[in-house]
Amino acid sequence: MRTSPVWNPVQYGTYADERGRPYADLVGRVRAEDVRTVVDLGCGPGGLTVTLREVWPEATIVGIDNSPPMLEAAQQYADDRLTFELGDVREWSAPAGSIDVIVTNATLQWVPEQVDLLPGFVNALRPGGWLAIQIPGNGNAPSHSILRDLAATEPYAEYAKDTSLRPDVPGPAEYIDVLSAEGCVVDAWETTYFHVLQGDNAVLEWVKGTGARPVLQSLPDDLRVQFEAEYGARLAEAYPQRDYGTLLPFRRIFAVAQKKES
């Protein structure tokens, strides 16, 4: 199992409504019927996974994540139809044709070889089954370019040089090409959400729970405080707080694929 940031469910839960909207938009495009088995790969703290019980009330749902703190938080939602397991999306597999729906939301962006995993996901689907993917596509946004630039300077670079700062991700066209080749009918698109965030230095609070976490974790305590202050100051300039809040444009990429019956 790969080394991964130690995720904080509380920090990740900041702006939960905004983070949850793409999940609902993704699942809303899955037109599956008679669903009995669902897997949520990269389920995090479970607050979104639990919503699948209402979408597919007869299904057995399994959430899988490689973060013990996230899974501990997710256990509050567990019952006889919804369970959570420790696992790495890169190592996950299921018997061929055994799953009705696979959802993976805001997870594959951390996996450089994610395209190589897609055939295995499709193989796990029954004929007519569905694969639903959503990933952030904001790697060139100021929130991330500032992070990369600052992490590359001393004294931070010594510690952050081996930090994965999110690889390039596929666009909708690449998902269509790859999943069509695996015998799927594919609907792929991108959306830029314009989140209005409340609170002081809101974008810093957002990225502390996700994109900036690997860098912040790599630094010694004293440098982490220094880095966060400098990074926060730059973010506050790039994303100024207005009377109505702080505007965060956030591009996301979606792919929903149905495996052909034959």
Side-chain angles (χ1 to χ4, degrees):
M1 189 169 296
R2 77 184 188 276
T3 302
S4 176
V6 178
W7 300 105
N8 183 326
V10 175
Q11 185 68 46
Y12 184 82
T14 304
Y15 307 115
D17 288 346
E18 290 83 359
R19 294 191 196 279
R21 183 177 170 189
Y23 192 91
D25 290 346
L26 174 69
V27 173
R29 293 295 296 167
V30 178
R31 309 303 191 197
E33 298 179 354
D34 191 26
V35 175
R36 301 295 176 177
T37 54
V38 179
V39 175
D40 188 352
L41 295 173
C43 64
L48 297 175
T49 309
V50 70
T51 65
L52 301 181
R53 291 192 301 199
E54 299 177 6
V55 181
W56 297 298
E58 302 301 320
T60 297
I61 303 166
V62 179
I64 296 173
D65 204 277
N66 70 345
S67 167
M70 288 293 205
L71 288 176
E72 183 178 356
Q75 293 306 322
Q76 64 182 301
Y77 304 111
D79 60 19
D80 58 345
R81 290 197 302 109
L82 174 58
T83 58
F84 296 93
E85 300 176 2
L86 184 67
D88 191 316
V89 66
R90 299 189 307 179
E91 300 169 359
W92 178 84
S93 64
S98 63
I99 308 298
D100 292 308
V101 178
I102 298 172
V103 177
T104 179
N105 178 73
T107 296
L108 294 181
Q109 74 274 11
W110 297 108
V111 183
E113 67 275 27
Q114 64 155 295
V115 170
D116 297 333
L117 303 180
L118 300 182
F121 295 166
V122 174
N123 184 62
L125 294 173
R126 66 166 176 81
W130 293 73
L131 170 64
I133 299 167
Q134 185 275 126
I135 58 171
N138 63 336
N140 293 322
S143 56
H144 288 66
S145 61
I146 293 170
L147 178 67
R148 288 191 296 267
D149 291 347
L150 186 57
T153 64
E154 295 299 344
Y156 313 120
E158 176 183 354
Y159 301 94
K161 60 185 178 182
D162 296 325
T163 302
S164 174
L165 290 177
R166 191 174 296 176
D168 292 336
V169 297
E174 186 170 357
Y175 278 123
I176 292 172
D177 284 344
V178 173
L179 292 171
S180 295
E182 294 301 319
C184 295
V185 177
V186 189
D187 177 17
W189 71 99
E190 61 181 65
T191 298
T192 298
Y193 296 87
F194 286 81
H195 299 303
V196 178
L197 307 180
Q198 303 303 316
D200 294 334
N201 212 337
V203 176
L204 175 63
E205 293 304 310
W206 177 289
V207 296
K208 280 167 59 177
T210 50
R213 194 155 187 84
V215 173
L216 293 173
Q217 251 181 228
S218 73
L219 301 172
D221 290 346
D222 57 335
L223 285 184
R224 186 181 305 117
V225 172
Q226 179 179 325
F227 183 95
E228 188 173 316
E230 189 171 352
Y231 181 43
R234 296 189 186 186
L235 287 177
E237 183 176 352
Y239 299 93
Q241 187 172 357
R242 311 292 189 185
D243 291 342
Y244 57 78
T246 300
L247 187 62
L248 173 63
F250 201 118
R251 176 176 175 256
R252 293 186 183 270
I253 299 164
F254 300 78
V256 173
Q258 184 180 23
K259 186 175 181 178
K260 294 178 182 178
E261 295 282 353
S262 61

